[in-house]
Amino acid sequence: MSSGHPAPGRRTRAVAAAAVLTVTASTTAAAGRTEAYAGPARLPALAPATLDVRYQAAGAEIARAWATARRVRDHDRARALSAFLAPGRRFLSFDARGRGQAVEVIGDLAAADRIAVVVPGADTTLANFDSPKFVGGGSRALYRQVRAGAPAERIAVVAWLGYRPPRTLSPEVLTGGRAAAGARALGRFLTGVHRVNGRARIALLCHSYGSVVCGKAARHLGAAPVDDIALFGSPGVAAHRASDLGTSARVWAGRATGDWMRYVPKVSFVGVGFGADPVSPGFGARRFDAGTGPHSAYLKPGTVALRNLALIALGRDAEVTR
C-alpha cells in the first residue's frame, strides 16, 4: 500500500535535484568579467631559507593589489588590503585575482611546537578575510585563546585561504570539485610547512566546506605530522566512517546546536552532496562540544567551541569537553 510519500531512494534523489535547481537558479554568471588584478609572481618553494623571502614577496603583492583596488575604486578590497599591510602581519602567499587567496601566519612558524591550520568554507574572500566570522579574524581569535590558556606553549596559527571556496549560492557548493583542488593545494602547503619546521605537530581545523577539503586531503598528507583533524559545521565528508579517511590523525567532529547545517540533508547522489555526517555516531569521530552558536561563530571569543578547538590545536585531547 502506498503511503503517499516517495520511497527513501526517490526522496534522496529529489532532494539532491531540487537543491541543484535552486542553487543554479540563484547563481549570477560572472563569465566575461574583466579581471582588474594581476596574477602573483612565482614564489620559491616553502623552506627554511625562503620563509622571509615569501613573507616579503607576498607583502609586495598585497601592496600592488591595494594600489590597483584604489585605482579601480574597489573600495571593499582596498579597505581589506590596507589592513593586510599593517605592521607585523605576515603572509606566505597572496593572489588578488577573482575573490582572492591569502595565507597568513600568526606566530612564529619556524619556532612553533604546534601549528594549527584553519581551513575555511564557502563565501570566504579577501574582502571578508578579517571578519570575526571568517578565516583571518577567526584565526586571530584562536591564537589569542591558545596564548591565554597556554602562554608557555609555542604555537603558530595559519589562516589558510589557499584555495577558491565556492559561493553558498552556487552549483559548486554542492560538489567536490573545489574541495579536490583545495585538498591538493593543502597537501602541498603542509609539505612545505614540514620542510620549514620538521618538529612541529600539526592540527587541521576545518569549517563547513573546508571540512570537505580536509576530508579529501586526509589520505594524502605525506610526511606532514598531522595529529588532529577537526571537522565542524560540516555538510558531510566523502567517507562512510572516520577510519575511511585514511589517516592516523585523531578525527574530531562538532556541530553547534544553532548551526543551520544540521538541517541540510547529508546525501550524495551522482556527484551532488557529500554523504556521511561526521557528527553522526556511526561515523566514529571524537565528537566535541561545539556549544549553541550559529554556523559562523565557532571561533567566536568566549564560546565553548573556540575553547575546545584551541585544546585540539594544542593536542590536549583529554581536556576537550565531549
Side-chain angles (χ1 to χ4, degrees), residues 13-106:
R13 291 192 291 272
V15 167
V20 171
L21 291 172
T22 300
V23 169
T24 303
S26 302
T27 303
T28 300
R33 182 170 54 194
T34 302
E35 177 58 69
Y37 297 92
R42 186 177 180 85
L43 294 172
L46 191 54
T50 65
L51 188 58
D52 286 339
V53 173
R54 296 275 299 239
Y55 288 145
Q56 292 167 10
E61 294 289 354
I62 294 168
R64 182 170 62 149
W66 175 70
T68 299
R70 295 184 67 196
R71 177 173 55 81
V72 301
R73 298 184 179 182
D74 187 348
H75 300 300
D76 289 343
R77 180 74 64 92
R79 186 162 43 250
L81 298 185
S82 177
F84 284 15
L85 292 168
R89 296 191 70 172
R90 296 178 297 179
F91 291 80
L92 283 172
S93 62
F94 177 84
D95 187 344
R97 293 173 297 178
R99 302 177 77 197
Q101 297 182 40
V103 177
E104 183 177 15
V105 176
I106 306 160

Side-chain angles (χ1 to χ4, degrees), residues 3 5 13 16 67 76 82 100 113 124-125 174 192 205 213 217 226 228 232 269 274 283 300 304:
S3 65
H5 297 288
R13 291 192 291 272
D76 289 343
S82 177
D113 295 320
T124 309
T125 69
L174 294 173
L205 308 183
V213 175
V226 176
D228 296 274
F232 51 102
F269 178 70
F274 307 108
F283 188 76
K300 182 179 179 180
V304 171

